[in-house]
Amino acid sequence: MPKAYWIGAYDAINDPDKLKAYAKDAGPALVEHGGKILARGGRSVSFEGTEKLRVVVVEFPSLEAAEACYNSDAYQAAKAKLEDGGVRDLFAVEGTE
């Protein structure tokens, strides 16, 4: 079964405090579902498309594990803390074997 990669790409950060509160609780939810944070908020460069203010990449054992994490009570509670604190695209993609 191929691994999966959860990618959060932020176009705007409206409230850094909400983002911090979200990240504090989202991290344990990700780890609980087998997630390993590979990149979080470091420097990035956009070759095509719009420049992103913040990018997060999390490796999961499978796409199903990433979906289970997103749908979990713990992650949804963390997500509720973000509210309108940022504008982002959030998706997961299955890796190659």
Side-chain angles (χ1 to χ4, degrees), residues 5-43:
Y5 300 88
W6 165 312
I7 301 162
Y10 288 76
D11 291 311
I13 296 172
N14 303 328
D15 188 330
D17 291 333
K18 286 183 179 181
L19 180 61
K20 285 179 188 175
Y22 157 78
K24 180 178 178 265
D25 289 351
L30 298 170
V31 170
E32 180 181 323
H33 288 86
K36 178 182 177 186
I37 298 170
L38 301 179
R40 178 176 54 196
R43 293 179 1 154

Side-chain angles (χ1 to χ4, degrees), residues 25 72-82:
D25 289 351
S72 71
D73 291 341
Y75 181 78
Q76 289 298 311
K79 184 178 157 224
K81 291 182 177 184
L82 181 59

